Amino acid sequence: MKDVAARAGVGLKTVSRVVNGEPGVTAETESRVRSAIDALGFRRNDSARILRKGRTASIGLVLEDLADPFYSPLSRAVEDRARANASLLFTGSSAEVPEREQELVLALCARRVDGLVIIPAGDDHRYLEPELAAGVAVVFVDRPAGHIDADTVLTDNAGGSRDAVAHLIAHGHRRIGFIGDQVGIHTADERVRGYRQAMEAAGLPIAAGWVSMGPTTPERVRVEMARMLGGSEPVTAFFMGNNRVTVTAVRVLADCPRPAALIGFDDFELADLLRPGVTVVAQDPIRLGRTAADLLFRRLDGADEPPRRVELPARLITRGSGEIAPTVV
Amino acid sequence: MKDVAARAGVGLKTVSRVVNGEPGVTAETESRVRSAIDALGFRRNDSARILRKGRTASIGLVLEDLADPFYSPLSRAVEDRARANASLLFTGSSAEVPEREQELVLALCARRVDGLVIIPAGDDHRYLEPELAAGVAVVFVDRPAGHIDADTVLTDNAGGSRDAVAHLIAHGHRRIGFIGDQVGIHTADERVRGYRQAMEAAGLPIAAGWVSMGPTTPERVRVEMARMLGGSEPVTAFFMGNNRVTVTAVRVLADCPRPAALIGFDDFELADLLRPGVTVVAQDPIRLGRTAADLLFRRLDGADEPPRRVELPARLITRGSGEIAPTVV
């Protein structure tokens, strides 16, 4: 401000009046001050501007992993809706670490987004209460919020998993392995629950070694598949808990002398062009993202109603790998 | 502030002193004011805090399309480097619209990111000059900056394309089609340049109908492939300008009675498990992202040197589809 005052040949008080839009400055003086500001290359400062305004026409999306192709169409759908509502979208990823989710969410709030779509990594979201009280709109998608009430959009993970396992059972399988993500992740827990329900409904016992939960790294999936395919009670089919596991399974089974049936949770690109085509339980990530964004903008438009919970169906898509008959019975 | 003053039983001036850390307030009074602030649920306001500080430990990434799998590993690599440097990453996508790139970049600057990694949609970046002058660090990746000098990390797109087309020629092809992204996109222009150079180096003429630039939608790619595969001078091989085009080409050729050779620019998941496996010219998106982020953090750590331009090689990976001999000569 001193530099501007010196350059414009006016006092500090006059610069302050111009910047803050206060009266008592002639048009000629104002123009001189503005020229000095421009000449000195000062930047528009939205931090200051935002302090004085209500809405910022921006929303945040916090997701789990930027590199997981499941989240690409979901992110894109949220972005399309943001654009349709003349909002910018800022995205960040938690890498499945609850503290990082919280850090990102609060950093976005501190930068004054109007609302947030969150794929939560953590299971306690009470840290959001001051933000919610201050008017930030929040919608959870893919996984529910913990210990707070908020709009939530989920897939029927247990139901989709039941359908998949019942499909394998209908094709003659009795020994079915399940490899899923880590215990404590909502979607992973729901999918193994659906697997257990379908086995139980068919009166089939589940051997201790047939269920494996943990990181979805190729190394771990390979070890677990080799273990389940060996021994005295080898599985004849796999139901895989997410697309990262399924893709590794396709690689393992391509090199496996004895064919095993395979159904994966979540569709993936080119699944239909592999031989055999890969049977999947498909979520609709575009609809998940779109529904979440629409709920968010309803809130931002002033909708004052109790939080909603929307559950979308999952859909079995048969392509060959899930219709292979058991080779050992 | 009035509410806080009333609740703490002090004057406005006292609240102001506590908030601004000014002297003249007893410890007991300060504690009463802080309790009132907490009780009333005021949020920490980073906009105000940022105004008074230099660095914000956050960087921005502006990319072209959140849903393009090529950008997933690149984004993830930038994020990994941001984390290693204790910075948060905010990402936004321009959807290939120059105005939207500018809007996003300036919105991130206004929210006081320390630096930006940009995959540009536009070709004029003079709008960034005030930000650069104010100390924001900027690195361009995948495509160069326009009309400004900045650190840039690119792949040798023309060289990789020459290698691919020379490979097809070495396998006996003389009529090779090229389908690429829109004219004006740096990578698209460089790849068609490499295609032309390789044909010219082999003394092969290029018929007017063998080069098609435009949107990479499946519909357009299907029409163009059908056209190039028909007529009196059908192509016997395709070189495809990006992974979106290649994936559609795989689908088209799977239904095509006469086999045609195929090489795609950019690798993609499961390319090796298709039959035939898909030969590609692979960029290294992880290295692109990591190199760009490292350059950015060098600048933020105070490196004062002329802008650098780093060019990474592309690598031909042969898997079968690019080694099919011509069926019509």
Side-chain angles (χ1 to χ4, degrees):
Chain A
M1 280 186 46
K2 274 186 207 159
D3 295 338
V4 172
R7 190 178 180 106
V10 301
L12 274 179
K13 187 74 200 159
T14 305
V15 176
S16 163
R17 280 194 183 117
V18 170
V19 169
N20 294 308
E22 289 165 14
V25 185
T26 67
E28 194 270 330
T29 303
E30 176 173 347
S31 150
R32 219 160 62 225
V33 170
R34 295 217 176 274
S35 302
I37 291 173
D38 290 347
L40 290 165
F42 285 106
R43 301 187 292 162
R44 190 184 66 159
N45 188 325
D46 276 5
S47 295
R49 213 164 47 88
I50 287 167
L51 282 174
R52 292 196 294 270
K53 293 212 324 182
R55 295 278 289 274
T56 64
S58 61
I59 65 169
L61 168 65
V62 174
L63 41 77
E64 189 263 303
D65 180 356
L66 282 175
D68 184 334
F70 171 70
Y71 294 116
S72 298
L74 192 159
S75 306
R76 175 70 169 274
V78 172
E79 180 166 59
D80 286 345
R81 278 307 202 247
R83 195 167 308 160
N85 285 275
S87 266
L88 287 176
L89 175 70
F90 300 111
T91 301
S93 110
S94 68
E96 207 64 89
V97 177
E99 292 72 29
R100 194 155 176 93
E101 172 211 306
Q102 178 171 345
E103 191 185 10
L104 261 171
V105 165
L106 292 179
L108 285 163
C109 288
R111 283 167 176 79
R112 293 287 179 268
V113 292
D114 300 323
L116 286 159
V117 175
I118 301 176
I119 296 167
D123 53 9
D124 186 349
H125 297 94
R126 281 173 291 188
Y127 70 83
L128 267 168
E129 281 168 356
E131 308 299 333
L132 293 168
V136 174
V138 178
V139 177
F140 287 78
V141 64
D142 189 41
R143 307 167 181 180
H147 303 293
I148 64 165
D149 245 9
D151 289 326
T152 307
V153 185
L154 303 173
T155 296
D156 180 7
N157 288 284
S161 300
R162 274 197 306 274
D163 292 347
V165 176
H167 184 78
L168 292 169
I169 294 169
H171 280 79
H173 296 278
R174 297 290 172 266
R175 297 201 296 273
I176 302 171
F178 175 83
I179 302 180
D181 212 329
Q182 308 194 51
V183 170
I185 294 176
H186 169 79
T187 46
D189 294 344
E190 284 295 291
R191 291 170 197 173
V192 75
R193 192 163 72 86
Y195 161 85
R196 290 186 189 283
Q197 286 173 340
M199 294 292 274
E200 196 181 330
L204 295 174
I206 302 173
W210 294 351
V211 175
S212 170
M213 310 283 284
T216 58
T217 56
E219 299 70 30
R220 194 185 77 86
V221 172
R222 283 178 183 278
V223 168
E224 292 299 278
M225 286 183 74
R227 190 179 57 65
M228 292 184 197
L229 285 166
S232 61
E233 287 202 309
V235 303
T236 62
F238 288 98
F239 173 54
M240 296 313 202
N242 71 28
N243 68 3
R244 301 295 81 205
V245 180
T246 308
V247 164
T248 301
V250 168
R251 295 188 179 284
V252 170
L253 293 177
D255 296 332
C256 187
R258 197 178 67 234
L262 171 68
I263 301 183
F265 205 105
D266 282 333
D267 204 1
F268 55 95
E269 189 166 73
L270 303 177
D272 58 322
L273 284 188
L274 297 169
R275 291 291 166 268
V278 180
T279 295
V280 298
V281 184
Q283 299 190 70
D284 188 339
I286 293 174
R287 198 170 152 208
L288 278 171
R290 192 187 297 153
T291 307
D294 284 347
L295 282 173
L296 187 73
F297 283 106
R298 272 176 63 89
R299 293 281 169 198
L300 292 176
D301 288 343
D304 187 20
E305 52 197 17
R308 286 215 251 172
R309 184 186 172 104
V310 178
E311 195 169 75
L312 302 178
R315 189 168 56 99
L316 186 72
I317 303 175
T318 58
R319 296 189 179 121
S321 75
E323 295 71 49
I324 294 172
T327 48
V328 182
V329 186
Chain B
M1 278 186 48
K2 274 187 208 157
D3 295 337
V4 172
R7 190 178 177 105
V10 300
L12 274 179
K13 186 76 200 156
T14 305
V15 176
S16 163
R17 282 193 181 120
V18 170
V19 169
N20 292 310
E22 288 165 15
V25 185
T26 66
E28 194 268 331
T29 302
E30 176 174 347
S31 149
R32 219 160 63 225
V33 170
R34 294 216 177 276
S35 302
I37 290 171
D38 291 346
L40 290 167
F42 285 108
R43 303 186 292 163
R44 192 184 64 159
N45 189 325
D46 275 7
S47 295
R49 214 163 47 87
I50 288 167
L51 282 175
R52 292 196 294 269
K53 294 212 326 181
R55 294 277 288 274
T56 64
S58 61
I59 65 169
L61 168 65
V62 174
L63 40 76
E64 188 263 303
D65 180 356
L66 282 175
D68 184 333
F70 171 71
Y71 293 116
S72 297
L74 192 159
S75 306
R76 175 70 169 274
V78 172
E79 179 166 60
D80 286 346
R81 278 306 201 246
R83 195 167 307 160
N85 285 276
S87 265
L88 287 177
L89 175 70
F90 301 111
T91 301
S93 109
S94 66
E96 208 66 87
V97 178
E99 292 72 28
R100 193 154 176 95
E101 172 211 307
Q102 177 170 344
E103 189 186 12
L104 260 172
V105 165
L106 292 179
L108 285 163
C109 288
R111 283 166 177 80
R112 292 287 179 269
V113 291
D114 300 324
L116 286 160
V117 175
I118 302 177
I119 297 167
D123 53 8
D124 186 348
H125 297 95
R126 280 174 292 190
Y127 70 83
L128 266 168
E129 281 168 356
E131 309 298 332
L132 294 168
V136 174
V138 178
V139 177
F140 287 78
V141 64
D142 188 42
R143 307 167 181 181
H147 303 292
I148 64 166
D149 244 10
D151 289 325
T152 308
V153 185
L154 304 173
T155 296
D156 179 7
N157 288 285
S161 299
R162 275 196 306 273
D163 292 348
V165 176
H167 184 79
L168 291 169
I169 294 169
H171 280 80
H173 296 277
R174 298 290 172 266
R175 297 202 296 272
I176 303 171
F178 176 81
I179 302 181
D181 213 330
Q182 310 194 50
V183 170
I185 294 176
H186 169 79
T187 47
D189 293 344
E190 283 295 291
R191 292 171 197 171
V192 75
R193 192 163 73 85
Y195 161 86
R196 290 186 189 282
Q197 286 173 340
M199 295 292 275
E200 196 181 329
L204 295 174
I206 302 173
W210 294 350
V211 174
S212 170
M213 310 284 282
T216 59
T217 56
E219 298 69 31
R220 193 184 77 87
V221 172
R222 284 178 182 277
V223 168
E224 292 299 277
M225 286 183 74
R227 189 179 57 67
M228 292 185 197
L229 285 166
S232 60
E233 287 203 307
V235 302
T236 62
F238 288 98
F239 173 53
M240 297 311 201
N242 71 28
N243 67 4
R244 300 296 80 202
V245 180
T246 309
V247 165
T248 301
V250 168
R251 295 188 179 283
V252 170
L253 293 177
D255 296 332
C256 186
R258 196 177 69 234
L262 172 68
I263 301 184
F265 205 106
D266 283 334
D267 204 1
F268 55 95
E269 189 166 72
L270 302 176
D272 58 322
L273 284 189
L274 296 170
R275 292 292 166 264
V278 180
T279 295
V280 299
V281 184
Q283 298 191 72
D284 189 339
I286 293 175
R287 198 170 152 209
L288 278 171
R290 193 187 295 154
T291 307
D294 284 347
L295 282 173
L296 188 73
F297 283 105
R298 273 174 64 88
R299 293 281 168 199
L300 293 177
D301 288 343
D304 188 19
E305 53 197 17
R308 287 215 252 170
R309 184 186 171 104
V310 179
E311 194 169 76
L312 302 178
R315 189 168 56 98
L316 185 73
I317 304 175
T318 58
R319 296 191 178 120
S321 74
E323 294 72 48
I324 294 172
T327 47
V328 183
V329 184

